[in-house]
Amino acid sequence: MPRDLDELRLPIPVQPRPPRPRPVREWFRRNGPDFAWLAPLLTLTGFVHAAGMARAPAFAEVEGEAVARIADGAWSFSGDLGLAQLAAWIGPSGALDRASQAVAGGREAMLVVLLLGVVLLWILARRLGVARPAAAVAVVLFAVSPLALHLHRMVLAENVAVLWTLLAFALATARRRQPVAFPAAAAAMVVAALTQTTFLVVAPFVVWMMWQQVTARAWRLVLAGVATAAGAGGYAYVLMSLGDLGGGTPERWWTLDPVLLVVGPVAAGAALLFRPLRPVAGALLTLVLLIVVPGGSAPVALLIAAVPLAALLVPAAAHRLVVRMLSMRGRPEATPLAIMSTTAAAALVVAVAATWPGELRPLLREDPVAPVEQAERWLEANVPREGRLVVDHTIRADLLRSGFSAGGVLPFTSYPAAESPGELLPLGATVAAPPAFDPRPPGWTHYDYIVSTAALRDDDTDRPDVRAALAESTVVAEFGSGDGRVEIRAIHPLGRDVAEAVAADDRRTVGYATGQLLRNDALRFDADARAVAEAGRVDPRLVIILGKLSGTHEVDVALPALPGEDAGVRRQVVLSGLPTEDEAARVALWLLGQPPPFTPSQVDTDGTTVTATYSLTAPRGLLPDPPQHDSP
């Protein structure tokens, strides 16, 4: 013992300071690995979706109608919740102002929808216990599959409903704070059903997911009742509307991505072996049955709802099966199962390598929208703004933005379908009251042009006015080829035969006049121009202008065809071989100084070359009739 108490030095206990809370660091510690996986996946998704999203797939009629309603503000929260959600991005972001075409501006919103869907799919996969590599495969299938990419790019309210469905599933997997998570999941499912009513089919499986998380008997009974009611209503609605919501057939979808359509249901069957995956697997199998069993046309909403579930279940079921096989190492049946699994995986890789590149290439590189854009530019340059046209919704939205009047540009879907003859009522039968007055648009004879696109030709509804307009019209300009071609057809109220007879008379008159020009030494026609002149396919205004010009100048004459008008009347002339640039400028001024209707709509000079372009239609009677020769 020390003699002095001062020599006794003991450590004085000090209460340790509590650690400072660092929420940001804690969040990165828990979610950093997921963020590191998700960031490159989002980059890949955005790049693949944005590469050609304004070009492929070809614009659909339903897209043009949706974008037109958003641009006009013709939607309401009560009846068009899907359009309201798309308008929340398209309007404030100015997407329609930036895009060259209205539908392309709407597809910009679908990129945002897809990126949010990738995040929600990742969260759902991780909450179901799927490993990060398998969750990454699910995201790639959801974003890069040809079928998924084709559907995700289209401006459809169903794609927005997918977001709410994935959010509902993710909230239904909550094991903590269930009193908050479960009502939020129910609200998300209600919004999904209001966005697209067909998604009500998935509601029972969201309730099943909640049922798995709770253990109290009372709560399970309540959830079972809710699932039964939602399922009955959803299935009844879908079965009754299978003929009205047709968006495609399984055969058409099969050509886009046979791999996902086959592997998805197989993976759903395997996922039924694992309890956490059973609700998602049951939802996918139900959607597949609703698509396949009725046959024929099926709502495209069913397929859009099935794509994320199939993308999730394929890697999730494979991951669970691999884990189970690894636990069976050393058993006699382990080796055959490993061989079968390896063979199946190799076959899947070969199938993807054989089918995906061929279907992804058109979506990333081809431009099926180019003929539509060329036709729109032609209409804007050649048809007066007060002209009357019959078009589809995709073209109508762009023409309205370029200054055409809303009353003069009619969507072809405004014409009613053909009425089927009804049965004769017996004498004394009660006659139903006539329906309310529904004004119909003017007949096809009141319009100048009809634009024949793939959407108009593929319309399954028999519309007599549209059919008559196509039959009694002739092609003025044509862009593209095959099924994607766009034809601008001039409508002839007196009939196509009368118009062709008049055109034949005009060609004879022009042919006689151009025969005189071909013998004029001051005009040197090239081979193509000579053939066109001999056939009488020259605008009569050009004939008179060339006749006047031959008295003062010696020029080389070319008559090129304008874009889309290869088979039509040539209304552009190229004058070359002038001695000096000043002389070319004087010729250009002389052309612009001609009185109407001989004033060209556009004159360009390039050195000693002058190019003059005339408007689309020329007045009749400018040239005298050719002399009549008595036939022997």
Side-chain angles (χ1 to χ4, degrees):
M1 293 294 292
R3 297 180 181 179
D4 193 352
L5 292 178
D6 294 337
E7 297 179 5
L8 183 60
R9 296 194 178 104
L10 297 177
I12 300 175
V14 179
Q15 187 70 21
R17 179 180 298 177
R20 180 187 301 175
R22 291 183 172 87
V24 177
R25 183 179 298 180
E26 284 295 318
W27 187 89
F28 272 103
R29 185 180 63 82
R30 293 193 310 268
N31 304 296
D34 289 311
F35 183 78
W37 278 85
L38 191 56
L41 291 174
L42 287 173
T43 304
L44 173 66
T45 300
F47 175 77
V48 173
H49 184 93
M53 69 177 180
R55 302 190 305 268
F59 294 161
E61 177 71 7
V62 65
E63 293 183 275
E65 185 175 2
V67 175
R69 293 179 62 187
I70 292 174
D72 297 339
W75 52 266
S76 60
F77 283 99
S78 57
D80 305 300
L81 187 57
L83 297 183
Q85 296 173 73
L86 292 176
W89 169 267
I90 294 175
S93 66
L96 296 180
D97 299 331
R98 289 193 301 271
S100 59
Q101 294 172 294
V103 176
R107 289 187 174 183
E108 180 182 312
M110 305 319 297
L111 173 60
V112 180
V113 170
L114 178 61
L115 294 177
L116 294 175
V118 165
V119 175
L120 291 174
L121 183 66
W122 177 272
I123 294 173
L124 176 59
R126 296 293 295 140
R127 288 197 169 190
L128 292 177
V130 180
R132 292 187 180 94
V137 174
V139 169
V140 171
L141 290 175
F142 178 63
V144 184
S145 161
L147 177 61
L149 186 61
H150 178 94
L151 295 173
H152 291 157
R153 285 181 173 179
M154 300 182 69
V155 187
L156 300 173
E158 288 84 350
N159 287 319
V160 183
V162 167
L163 290 183
W164 295 102
T165 305
L166 293 175
L167 178 61
F169 270 115
L171 293 172
T173 58
R175 297 188 177 181
R176 297 182 302 172
R177 301 177 182 175
Q178 292 179 350
V180 177
F182 285 179
M189 199 63 243
V190 168
V191 175
L194 292 176
T195 302
Q196 220 307 318
T197 316
T198 310
F199 279 73
L200 191 60
V201 174
V202 188
F205 301 96
V206 175
V207 179
W208 185 4
M209 186 77 74
M210 300 182 199
W211 188 83
Q212 286 187 343
Q213 311 304 323
V214 298
T215 56
R217 178 179 176 83
W219 277 107
R220 288 199 166 191
L221 291 176
V222 171
L223 292 174
V226 172
T228 303
Y235 301 144
Y237 172 80
V238 172
L239 292 177
M240 287 188 299
S241 61
L242 282 178
D244 300 330
L245 298 177
T249 59
E251 292 79 8
R252 178 190 172 194
W253 301 331
W254 176 267
T255 59
L256 284 171
D257 191 357
V259 177
L260 190 61
L261 293 179
V262 171
V263 178
V266 173
L272 292 175
L273 301 174
F274 309 103
R275 185 175 181 273
L277 301 179
R278 286 173 187 167
V280 181
L284 178 58
L285 291 176
T286 302
L287 293 171
V288 170
L289 288 176
L290 290 174
I291 292 173
V292 176
V293 171
S297 181
V300 71
L302 296 175
L303 181 65
I304 294 178
V307 165
L309 305 183
L312 171 63
L313 288 176
V314 170
H319 170 251
R320 294 274 181 169
L321 290 173
V322 169
V323 171
R324 179 163 292 186
M325 283 191 297
L326 290 177
S327 65
M328 297 170 60
R329 284 182 298 181
R331 298 183 184 180
E333 63 271 18
T335 301
L337 287 176
I339 295 175
M340 293 172 59
S341 302
T342 304
T343 304
L348 179 61
V349 171
V350 171
V352 169
T355 58
W356 279 24
E359 295 298 332
L360 286 174
R361 190 175 298 109
L363 292 173
L364 299 177
R365 296 183 180 180
E366 293 185 2
D367 190 3
V369 181
V372 177
E373 187 173 4
Q374 294 168 0
E376 291 174 354
R377 302 290 85 81
W378 189 95
L379 290 170
E380 294 171 3
N382 297 283
V383 177
R385 292 300 184 265
E386 62 274 8
R388 301 175 65 83
L389 302 95
V390 179
V391 298
D392 63 23
H393 276 97
T394 61
I395 293 181
R396 182 176 187 270
D398 296 328
L399 294 182
L400 294 183
R401 292 199 304 165
S402 63
F404 283 83
S405 62
V409 184
L410 180 75
F412 74 91
T413 53
S414 300
Y415 283 116
E419 297 181 0
S420 57
E423 298 181 358
L424 293 177
L425 297 177
L427 293 177
T430 304
V431 180
F437 175 70
D438 184 15
R440 57 170 293 162
W444 62 272
T445 57
H446 290 74
Y447 288 87
D448 305 321
Y449 299 94
I450 180 171
V451 182
S452 175
T453 59
L456 186 145
R457 293 189 295 269
D458 294 342
D459 183 36
D460 296 332
T461 306
D462 182 17
R463 308 180 192 274
D465 289 272
V466 176
R467 185 166 19 94
L470 291 175
E472 303 298 340
S473 61
T474 54
V475 177
V476 177
E478 182 178 0
F479 302 92
S481 60
D483 295 337
R485 73 186 185 281
V486 179
E487 297 175 348
I488 301 174
R489 307 178 68 93
I491 297 176
H492 307 296
L494 299 180
R496 181 175 179 176
D497 295 338
V498 175
E500 290 181 347
V502 172
D505 285 340
D506 291 342
R507 284 195 298 270
R508 283 194 296 270
T509 302
V510 173
Y512 176 79
T514 54
Q516 310 299 320
L517 294 179
L518 293 175
R519 292 192 291 269
N520 192 327
D521 295 336
L523 302 176
R524 298 182 292 271
F525 289 81
D526 62 17
D528 179 67
R530 182 173 292 274
V532 169
E534 290 174 350
R537 292 171 43 223
V538 183
D539 192 295
R541 292 168 293 185
L542 287 181
V543 177
I544 296 176
I545 288 298
L546 289 175
K548 290 183 178 181
L549 191 64
S550 64
T552 57
H553 294 79
E554 293 185 0
V555 292
D556 297 327
V557 179
L559 299 170
L562 290 172
E565 302 181 25
D566 295 334
V569 174
R570 304 295 173 90
R571 54 190 179 91
Q572 185 179 71
V573 62
V574 178
L575 306 173
S576 58
L578 294 168
T580 62
E581 294 184 4
D582 292 340
E583 188 66 21
R586 280 193 288 271
V587 170
L589 291 175
W590 177 79
L591 290 171
L592 290 174
Q594 295 300 307
F598 303 103
T599 308
S601 59
Q602 183 178 353
V603 176
D604 299 314
T605 59
D606 183 10
T608 59
T609 301
V610 179
T611 303
T613 305
Y614 284 79
S615 59
L616 184 60
T617 56
R620 300 194 69 245
L622 295 179
L623 295 174
D625 294 333
Q628 301 294 330
H629 299 285
D630 294 333
S631 58

